[in-house]
Amino acid sequence: MKKFSRRDILKTSVLASAAATVHGVAPIAAAIEIAPDAAEPFFAPPLRDTNDEAMKRARRERLLLDVGWRFHFGHADEPAKDFGFTGNFQKTGNFVPPGALAFDDSQWRDLDLPHDWAVELPFQNDPALRSKGFYPLGKKYPATSVGWYRRVFELPAEDKGKRITVEFDGAYREAMLIFNNFYIGRHSGGYDPFTFDLTDFATPGGRNVLLARVDATSSDGWFYEGAGIYRHVWLVKTNAVHVPQWGTFVKADVKPDGANLSILTEVNNESATAKTVRVISTVLSPTGETVGSATSSPQMIPNQEKQTYEQKINVKKPLLWSLETRNLYKLVTEVQTETGLVDLYETRFGIRTVAFDAEKGFLLNGKVVKLKGTCNHQDHAGVGAAVPDAVQYYRVRKLQEMGCNSLRTSHNPPTAELLDACDELGMLVFDETRMMSSNPEGMSQFVNLVRRDRNRPSVFMWSMGNEEGTANTDKGLLILTAMKAMANRLDVSRPVSIAPIRAIGVGGLAVCDVIGYNYQDPQAEQYHNENPKKPVMGTETVSAVGTRGIYITDYSKGYVAAYDPYTTTGRASAEGWWRFCNARPWLSGGFVWTGFDYRGEPSPNGWPNISSQYGIIDICGFPKDSFYYYKAWWTSEPVLHLFPHWNWPGMEGKRIAVWAYSNLDKVELLHNGQSLGTKEMKKDSHVAWVVKYAPGTIEARGYKGEKVVLPAKRETTGPAAKIAMSADRQELSGDGEDVAMFAVEVRDAQNRVVPITENEVTFKVSGAGKLIGVGNGDPTDQGSDKAPSRKAFCGYCMAVVQSTKQGGNITVEAASPGLAPATVTLLVKAATLRPQVPRWERKIPQGEGITGLWRPAPADGGPESSAPPAIGDSIYSFKQEGSSLTGTVEGTGASFFGGGDIPAPIEAGKIDGSAISFRVGNSSFAGNIKGDRIELQRSGSPGSSTTKPPEKASDAPEIGPAPDGSDPSRGPSHPPSTVLVELRRVER
């Protein structure tokens, strides 16, 4: 390649890239090898690897900020129950009492994130709460709809000069952030991530207080959404010149001879001066080998501005990402200035092609792939919306077991860890935004979604919304046109669509690259016949309801029989929809509502149902019968599933429908050894018999040709006798985050699952783990997901167990009165923790006498502090050595004007018997020690000085100015010269 000087390039205007117009960015640097001029600054050579030393030089840190939080409910209506919060925007730096360093949070609950407080609440039989699962949230329930989160942490002194930001992956629903008692900002929206810059308010070399008030009184959806900071939080430290969040994008153009990568890199210069910057992009293969690199020309970025660099790299013989081989590449971005490496940013991506063909359907890497999809909400049994990362992988694997190859993130941006699981396990994603709107908030949500997820190979299409009637109108055309334009501006590699309501291809729906439809199979075929060049996909289908293990519909109990109404199409039938879909090559596939049951929307019943029954899998992960229909026709694995169970006391002689789901050639049914006939298994169908009930056995035999290859059996069981338990994992990581699911089966003496039992099962966890939730899949069970026990539902229940931060073993015991217990032990491997912000605990001085921590005692049973809300609490840290007293006092210097909440040293401290005296700043303290109390008189506080009013002269006029020219605006106030302070010993 010919080498050009920078001046050569500028003379020929090669740098005037058309991409600047397409992407709406600053001038873009050429992806061309440039020889530096003699006058240009020297740049260090590219790194060979991304080791810890390189990261240290780059000074970028992304630290998990999940552990060590304190939580307390606030109040949506009464400031006195909401820590005095009234919206104090009067002065900077004294926003609300809990934001102060000295605030007493000892009565707050200690917890780690993610956290969903909604799932911890008791159920409330209020029809207005039906869609939310009957959890008391909203404006009618102010006492349980606002939560405060508080985290104290230290920043090293060397962080001075860095940019400090905090990233929230998601909080429901409106979050207000306060840092070191400075109001930082608000975020509205329960699903999209948000970031705040804390730099100007941080205290490097000292303690810092991060405070979040989360308000869940408003609602985004009509389903269970949780409440609180239910996703991860991160503290990010960078140099002033750095790649911003989601600031890289890799687009792959796959050719027969290789893949041409177009790389966009944004660089921010938040320093006080202009910087000359170059970007070095290195691509690492799935095995870590360098397969390409590019170095930009140096470009000057003015201070407080940004620049976008465009580079090209060719990867020969690329390893494509697919459902079977999940090859993941890594882009390593080096940002250099004249001083050397200033940032190192890593981006994972995949190389693959996606396309839609109006006749063939969806193509992945040029091959037709029928979308066998499910829609899924984000909550799970035991944990609500605060789903641990490991449970995301568990859920994806469960869907894959039945052949599901794609999911729709209904109806909101998903957590990043779900997409990690999809990238790594091979699951396609139809990535959906929450708000269909071109207003600033709606567009911001959509921009965040696209920027965050555009490098993920699993994400094959953007969804601009769900069932919005406005989308079918002229206004919808304007809104969706704007949203599509934004998607194309940020990412030209993926199509866009929307899940519509009662319409196909009209109004704004016409702008979609792929025409979606919900529950309208016949109308979709008509649309295809009239518009044969437009690709079509079922964006939402089926909505079949059924209760796991239940075969008699009983609305009084809230249960729906698990038989599929297979004669219907378009809605309510798995078999009816899939027969239609699979017979039409032009139809790309579709997304069944839903993969898993979820809280809220308890269709078709209301109270006492608290969760939906649409799932193919219940909320715990136990498959329903329809799971095996999909598995039979979505996988190549031989399947034979027989139902219902065969425990029907009192039903002797009654006719019972017996079904089998299978993909074998034919199935024979036997009842107590007598053949009831063999039936051919038609494609995408099932076989059925009607059997007069008699206790004993029903047995299905699946044939391949004339050979029996798979049997299935249901037997009348005896009474419950024992518990069997298994875990989905053989070992866990001792990182305090990993999770195993422990499934319990109630069995009889012959080791058969008893399908009609409801034994209460109690879990006991010992060793390197803890119980974080329980569940059973019963849509009417109103037991607590956070209790140590759960009744079995149709023979099954589950415990969710999380590791601690140590190696060893976890032992889980499941016991129930009258049943033999079960015990499972898992290995927990010692693990290196993810980089994270250390937990902070206030150090308690140790020593003689009154050495320790002291706080003002409550006055007459009132609040801990009678100080004005803007001033907050105080804490006294005493160190006694004989008659000498040293230490610090925090909080007594705070004022209405802010800025005084810093520790102040104790001076001239003396103890003489029970007498005590000391000075802090302008205040003097003196008093007596009385056991676990200290009574003090505080005098000389700032601003408390008094002056004697002047005497009026005898010849002064009755009407006129003050005789000594004093300021009358001060008024005749006479603050007390001393203030009584009573202290009590505390531990925090």
Side-chain angles (χ1 to χ4, degrees):
M1 170 182 264
K2 180 181 178 181
K3 293 181 180 288
F4 296 88
S5 74
R6 183 166 177 266
R7 289 181 177 81
D8 290 334
I9 298 297
L10 292 174
K11 287 177 183 177
T12 56
S13 301
V14 171
L15 290 179
S17 170
T21 302
V22 174
H23 295 279
V25 296
I28 297 175
I32 192 167
E33 188 176 353
I34 297 173
D37 291 332
E40 288 180 334
F42 171 77
F43 285 90
L47 293 174
R48 294 301 179 189
D49 53 50
T50 57
N51 53 39
D52 291 340
E53 184 61 30
M55 293 297 290
K56 185 177 180 181
R57 289 186 354 238
R59 301 182 71 194
R60 172 182 285 268
E61 294 181 90
R62 189 169 191 257
L63 307 175
L64 188 65
L65 189 54
D66 279 359
V67 302
W69 289 78
R70 311 284 285 188
F71 172 80
H72 202 288
F73 278 116
H75 201 282
D77 291 344
E78 300 181 37
K81 298 178 181 179
D82 201 30
F83 303 100
F85 171 66
T86 55
N88 177 25
F89 297 94
Q90 299 162 348
K91 297 293 179 180
T92 295
N94 64 343
F95 193 71
V96 69
L101 279 170
F103 178 77
D104 183 6
D105 63 6
S106 59
Q107 301 304 307
W108 291 36
R109 173 182 164 193
D110 182 73
L111 56 76
D112 295 339
L113 305 178
H115 172 238
D116 174 9
W117 81 66
V119 76
E120 302 169 352
L121 298 175
F123 297 99
Q124 183 80 25
N125 186 5
D126 179 351
L129 299 174
R130 185 179 189 272
S131 68
K132 300 295 184 183
F134 296 100
Y135 290 96
L137 292 170
K139 295 188 182 298
K140 288 177 60 177
Y141 301 93
T144 52
S145 295
V146 170
W148 291 81
Y149 294 85
R150 188 173 190 269
R151 177 66 153 91
V152 181
F153 60 90
E154 293 182 337
L155 287 173
E158 52 267 30
D159 283 349
K160 186 175 182 179
K162 291 185 179 181
R163 304 304 301 181
I164 310 294
T165 59
V166 62
E167 298 176 359
F168 287 79
D169 286 351
Y172 195 84
R173 187 211 174 248
E174 295 185 7
M176 178 179 67
L177 202 69
I178 301 103
F179 186 56
N180 288 335
N181 225 359
F182 291 88
Y183 170 77
I184 303 300
R186 299 176 189 261
H187 176 78
S188 179
Y191 298 99
D192 62 316
F194 55 96
T195 300
F196 288 108
D197 190 330
L198 307 178
T199 305
D200 294 347
F201 314 98
T203 306
R207 286 170 295 148
N208 297 263
V209 180
L210 184 62
L211 184 70
R213 181 182 186 269
V214 182
D215 187 335
T217 55
S218 297
S219 179
D220 273 305
W222 51 95
F223 40 85
Y224 177 85
E225 300 182 280
I229 306 176
Y230 69 96
R231 293 180 181 174
H232 294 303
V233 179
W234 308 85
L235 190 72
V236 180
K237 308 174 186 180
T238 66
N239 283 313
V241 178
H242 62 274
V243 178
Q245 186 183 33
W246 316 317
T248 57
F249 175 44
V250 184
K251 178 182 177 297
D253 183 15
V254 180
K255 303 291 185 181
D257 59 342
N260 296 321
L261 305 184
S262 298
I263 301 170
L264 293 180
T265 304
E266 300 170 14
V267 179
N268 288 357
N269 176 15
E270 298 185 64
S271 68
T273 61
K275 298 290 183 181
T276 301
V277 178
R278 78 169 182 178
V279 171
I280 302 170
S281 296
T282 304
V283 175
L284 305 180
S285 73
T287 57
E289 300 172 340
T290 299
V291 293
S293 64
T295 301
S296 76
S297 64
Q299 293 291 303
M300 181 172 288
I301 307 178
N303 63 304
Q304 304 304 316
E305 292 192 17
K306 67 180 180 180
Q307 181 75 278
T308 300
Y309 296 76
E310 183 179 27
Q311 297 168 302
K312 304 287 186 181
I313 294 176
N314 180 262
V315 177
K316 299 183 184 302
K317 297 181 179 179
L319 300 173
L320 301 185
W321 185 93
S322 69
L323 300 177
E324 299 76 25
T325 56
R326 285 80 65 187
N327 292 306
L328 294 169
Y329 285 77
K330 182 188 291 184
L331 170 68
V332 179
T333 303
E334 299 174 51
V335 179
Q336 295 184 346
T337 66
E338 306 94 315
T339 60
L341 182 69
V342 294
D343 197 14
L344 194 64
Y345 190 84
E346 297 184 354
T347 306
R348 194 168 70 168
F349 69 98
I351 299 174
R352 51 73 180 136
T353 65
V354 295
F356 282 86
D357 183 275
E359 291 301 325
K360 298 178 181 178
F362 174 69
L363 293 90
L364 177 63
N365 298 325
K367 299 178 181 179
V368 174
V369 174
K370 200 79 164 182
L371 294 170
K372 304 168 182 175
T374 59
C375 302
N376 291 281
H377 283 310
Q378 63 178 2
D379 62 302
H380 195 84
V383 295
V387 179
D389 298 353
V391 179
Q392 304 289 1
Y393 287 77
Y394 169 82
R395 286 165 64 90
V396 171
R397 290 189 183 102
K398 275 292 177 185
L399 294 171
Q400 288 178 322
E401 282 182 29
M402 68 175 185
C404 176
N405 63 14
S406 50
L407 62 85
R408 175 178 163 222
T409 64
S410 310
H411 300 292
N412 48 263
T415 184
E417 288 69 31
L418 172 60
L419 299 181
D420 288 342
C422 293
D423 283 344
E424 295 169 20
L425 300 177
M427 177 73 73
L428 292 162
V429 178
F430 185 22
D431 207 353
E432 187 158 291
T433 193
R434 172 77 288 275
M435 183 183 292
M436 189 207 84
S437 181
S438 54
N439 69 17
E441 184 174 329
M443 197 63 86
S444 175
Q445 291 182 12
F446 193 47
V447 166
N448 285 346
L449 175 77
V450 176
R451 280 177 55 86
R452 186 194 67 173
D453 300 343
R454 59 188 174 173
N455 289 304
R456 293 189 176 274
S458 60
V459 175
F460 73 97
M461 185 159 60
W462 308 115
S463 172
M464 298 184 289
N466 171 72
E467 293 186 338
E468 298 279 358
T470 298
N472 308 343
T473 68
D474 291 341
K475 287 187 176 66
L477 177 61
L478 297 174
I479 292 170
L480 292 174
T481 297
M483 293 181 73
K484 179 179 178 179
M486 179 59 73
N488 288 339
R489 175 183 173 187
L490 298 172
D491 168 34
V492 295
S493 66
R494 293 173 179 84
V496 298
S497 189
I498 189 171
I501 181 72
R502 295 186 295 273
I504 302 177
V506 301
L509 306 178
V511 309
C512 294
D513 298 309
V514 178
I515 299 299
Y517 74 91
N518 287 17
Y519 311 110
Q520 290 188 302
D521 290 343
Q523 296 91 331
E525 185 156 45
Q526 179 181 349
Y527 179 86
H528 169 70
N529 291 335
E530 296 171 354
N531 303 271
K533 295 184 178 182
K534 292 287 287 188
V536 179
M537 179 181 72
T539 42
E540 190 171 311
T541 64
V542 182
S543 279
V545 293
T547 311
R548 176 184 57 77
I550 297 295
Y551 301 98
I552 299 176
T553 296
D554 188 338
Y555 293 117
S556 67
K557 294 182 178 179
Y559 296 147
V560 180
Y563 296 99
D564 181 63
Y566 62 96
T567 57
T568 66
T569 183
R571 186 177 177 94
S573 169
E575 187 173 324
W577 167 71
W578 182 244
R579 284 204 314 258
F580 175 90
C581 180
N582 201 32
R584 290 157 176 80
W586 55 265
L587 184 54
S588 301
F591 295 84
V592 176
W593 189 267
T594 54
F596 287 85
D597 280 346
Y598 55 93
R599 292 171 177 79
E601 267 196 311
S603 179
N605 308 305
W607 184 271
N609 285 61
I610 45 85
S611 70
S612 80
Q613 302 185 59
Y614 292 113
I616 304 168
I617 307 168
D618 76 14
I619 198 168
C620 293
F622 295 120
K624 301 181 184 180
D625 293 294
S626 59
F627 177 97
Y628 299 96
Y629 171 78
Y630 291 107
K631 185 173 184 177
W633 302 112
W634 283 5
T635 76
S636 58
E637 178 183 340
V639 173
L640 178 58
H641 175 73
L642 182 66
F643 65 99
H645 63 73
W646 212 239
N647 282 42
W648 299 102
M651 294 287 289
E652 288 77 8
K654 302 292 185 181
R655 289 156 49 87
I656 296 176
V658 176
W659 284 25
Y661 289 138
S662 182
N663 51 11
L664 299 174
D665 296 340
K666 55 187 177 180
V667 177
E668 180 185 12
L669 182 69
L670 295 89
H671 180 212
N672 291 332
Q674 181 179 355
S675 177
L676 301 182
T678 301
K679 296 192 176 184
E680 179 185 354
M681 179 59 67
K682 295 181 180 179
K683 182 177 173 59
D684 299 328
S685 186
H686 73 282
V687 288
W689 297 261
V690 175
V691 182
K692 286 187 177 180
Y693 177 70
T697 303
I698 53 173
E699 180 183 0
R701 295 174 179 173
Y703 288 79
K704 198 70 176 176
E706 299 302 317
K707 182 180 180 181
V708 175
V709 295
L710 202 61
K713 183 185 294 186
R714 296 282 188 169
E715 296 179 309
T716 307
T717 71
K722 56 183 169 180
I723 291 173
M725 183 167 58
S726 61
D728 72 312
R729 310 275 300 281
Q730 298 303 309
E731 65 180 37
L732 295 182
S733 173
D735 57 6
E737 300 181 66
D738 207 1
V739 165
M741 316 295 279
F742 288 78
V744 163
E745 299 175 352
V746 178
R747 297 182 178 180
D748 68 0
Q750 283 72 47
N751 219 30
R752 300 170 297 193
V753 175
V754 182
I756 55 173
T757 187
E758 294 186 345
N759 304 73
E760 187 82 13
V761 178
T762 299
F763 297 95
K764 180 181 178 182
V765 180
S766 57
K770 60 182 179 180
L771 180 70
I772 64 170
V774 295
N776 61 10
D778 182 351
T780 67
D781 189 345
Q782 298 180 7
S784 170
D785 280 46
K786 298 299 181 180
S789 64
R790 193 71 160 197
K791 73 175 184 179
F793 177 62
C794 295
Y796 296 88
C797 61
M798 176 173 281
V800 186
V801 177
Q802 190 169 54
S803 68
T804 57
K805 294 179 180 178
Q806 62 189 37
N809 291 318
I810 293 176
T811 298
V812 179
E813 180 182 355
S816 184
L819 304 184
T823 300
V824 172
T825 297
L826 293 186
L827 173 67
V828 179
K829 284 192 171 182
T832 300
L833 303 183
R834 289 199 277 187
Q836 54 193 271
V837 179
R839 178 186 293 269
W840 180 86
E841 293 291 346
R842 188 184 297 275
K843 292 182 180 179
I844 302 176
Q846 302 295 317
E848 62 183 284
I850 65 169
T851 298
L853 298 178
W854 298 75
R855 287 186 180 273
D860 299 326
E864 293 290 319
S865 173
S866 58
I871 296 177
D873 288 348
S874 56
I875 186 164
Y876 298 69
S877 179
F878 290 145
K879 178 67 174 178
Q880 179 181 351
E881 293 179 326
S883 61
S884 174
L885 181 67
T886 58
T888 60
V889 177
E890 298 176 32
T892 58
S895 71
F896 168 80
F897 300 99
D901 185 30
I902 56 175
I906 290 174
E907 300 175 331
K910 295 181 181 179
I911 294 178
D912 184 5
S914 63
I916 177 175
S917 64
F918 57 92
R919 188 173 69 252
V920 179
N922 293 326
S923 295
S924 296
F925 297 80
N928 294 284
I929 304 168
K930 297 183 177 181
D932 62 351
R933 290 286 192 273
I934 300 176
E935 293 183 355
L936 297 171
Q937 295 283 341
R938 176 184 176 183
S939 59
S941 299
S944 65
S945 61
T946 62
T947 58
K948 184 178 180 180
E951 295 183 2
K952 190 174 183 180
S954 59
D955 61 346
E958 282 71 18
I959 298 174
D964 61 350
S966 60
D967 181 1
S969 68
R970 295 294 183 182
S973 61
H974 299 284
S977 59
T978 60
V979 176
L980 176 64
V981 180
E982 182 179 357
L983 303 181
R984 63 184 178 90
R985 190 185 291 271
V986 297
E987 296 298 318
R988 183 175 174 85

